[in-house]
Amino acid sequence: MSENSFTEEVTARAADSGANASARFQERQAKAAGGVVDHERVALLAGKAVKALNDLVLEEQVTYEEYNAFKAWLIKVGEDGEWPLFLDVWLEHSVEEVANQDREGSKGTIEGPYYLEGSPELPWNGTIPMRPDEPGTPFVFKGQVTSTDGAPLPGAKLELWHADNLGFYSQFAPGLPEWNLRGTFVADDEGRYEIHTIRPAPYQIPTEGACGQLIEAAGWHAWRPAHMHFKVHAPEHQLITSQLYFPGDPHNEDDIASAVKPELMLDPQPNPDEEGEITVYDFVLDPAR
Ligand code: MBD
Ligand code: FE
């Protein structure tokens, strides 16, 4: 494959991610029960948001040129399907902070735009779906799920999803098998799991969409550090949504999505039993409220 066709392929794939994320979010939201925010909260929150923007215009003496550039950009965010990407990168971390402030168990962090329900169910020591020649360092991820009182949680489920070795997520970038690098692992009768996967690559916000345009116009960087996403659940316990990170990634310090926490850092070691690396991480779930 020539260098050019590789670049084109990557660009074409990146362009699809935003549109897919919007469609998937709308499907899930349509199925979600409730979804109606009451009048008083709408009046309060929309009122404060509008006031904050008006204050900004007056404080910073915003011009018509800037106002129209903003309007054009907002239209493009929708056209590119990048509202999920924009919101999850620049706002979700605060929503997560509020949602999980009273938890005693494992730290959560943002879900991001690329979660899918219903990934293939696998045993406690299964291998995540991947291509036969899946590029990347083989990676074993093991540990135990317990309750905040220390009791093991048998049959806990760990949903894992992560990018491939080029930073692409299945079903959001074309050309990947449907459930590539997505799986639901059922812990054993002591809440233990030993998941076999590969190390994901860092993730770059697609450069050609509205979010990429904003990043370039502001002179920011477009990177999230390499990460693995999780949802961990067990009966009578609160679901936790989180991500885990790899030490030494240059973007652990300046994640564009502000979602890295010191408690979420892995400690990968050479695997003594097979090629690749191994790491241990235990999850602690809060009892249901
Ligand atoms: C990602 O992979 C991600 O996890 C978030 C939060 C935003 C964009 C891409
Ligand atoms: Fe991600």
Side-chain angles (χ1 to χ4, degrees):
M1 195 188 279
S2 76
E3 202 182 312
N4 268 348
S5 68
F6 178 78
T7 309
E8 266 168 37
E9 185 195 13
V10 169
T11 306
R13 295 167 84 181
D16 294 307
S17 292
N20 288 350
S22 286
R24 291 319 179 90
F25 175 76
Q26 283 169 317
E27 286 160 23
R28 247 172 102 201
Q29 185 69 0
K31 275 195 280 172
V36 179
V37 178
D38 72 60
H39 285 309
E40 274 172 45
R41 287 289 282 176
V42 174
L44 175 76
L45 300 177
K48 281 196 167 182
V50 169
K51 182 171 188 309
L53 284 171
N54 279 277
D55 288 348
L56 176 71
V57 169
L58 299 174
E59 264 167 50
E60 298 302 333
Q61 299 279 286
V62 170
T63 65
Y64 262 103
E65 205 179 13
E66 290 164 338
Y67 173 67
N68 286 329
F70 179 53
K71 210 190 255 187
W73 180 79
L74 288 173
I75 293 166
K76 185 169 162 58
V77 178
E79 283 174 352
D80 293 346
E82 286 195 346
W83 280 116
L85 181 65
F86 173 78
L87 291 167
D88 295 351
V89 166
W90 281 291
L91 195 59
E92 190 189 352
H93 65 95
S94 294
V95 181
E96 188 278 329
E97 186 180 323
V98 172
N100 289 335
Q101 58 195 340
D102 297 328
R103 267 182 207 264
E104 284 172 29
S106 296
K107 284 276 174 225
T109 190
I110 64 175
E111 177 175 314
Y114 303 138
Y115 170 68
L116 294 170
E117 282 176 320
S119 65
E121 211 167 277
L122 296 157
W124 70 278
N125 60 350
T127 299
I128 204 165
M130 62 169 91
R131 294 164 284 183
D133 54 349
E134 189 68 46
T137 305
F139 195 67
V140 175
F141 175 83
K142 62 186 278 189
Q144 188 178 26
V145 186
T146 60
S147 185
T148 44
D149 68 2
L153 294 173
K157 287 188 180 179
L158 288 92
E159 294 182 69
L160 168 60
W161 72 103
H162 64 77
D164 68 12
N165 193 45
L166 290 174
F168 292 115
Y169 286 85
S170 58
Q171 299 189 45
F172 294 90
L176 295 167
E178 189 177 21
W179 295 104
N180 210 53
L181 304 178
R182 296 176 183 274
T184 302
F185 297 84
V186 183
D188 73 3
D189 50 18
E190 289 181 334
R192 295 188 194 279
Y193 53 89
E194 185 182 310
I195 296 168
H196 298 255
T197 185
I198 56 113
R199 263 181 84 142
Y203 178 87
Q204 184 182 26
I205 305 290
T207 49
E208 74 279 10
C211 292
Q213 195 181 45
L214 169 64
I215 288 164
E216 181 167 330
W220 299 335
H221 77 77
W223 292 92
R224 295 214 62 217
H227 57 279
M228 302 199 304
H229 292 267
F230 290 88
K231 283 181 186 281
V232 184
H233 31 126
E236 272 131 64
H237 284 77
Q238 294 175 45
L239 163 83
I240 187 88
T241 300
S242 198
Q243 300 179 32
L244 295 168
Y245 301 92
F246 299 85
D249 190 303
H251 293 296
N252 284 336
E253 319 311 320
D254 64 359
D255 177 11
I256 189 167
S258 311
V260 180
K261 302 179 185 184
E263 298 87 347
L264 302 178
M265 210 50 72
L266 293 170
D267 182 24
Q269 300 294 329
N271 190 336
D273 301 322
E274 53 192 84
E275 194 203 330
E277 295 174 335
I278 185 163
T279 196
V280 178
Y281 196 88
D282 298 322
F283 287 101
V284 181
L285 301 190
D286 285 62
R289 277 183 279 215

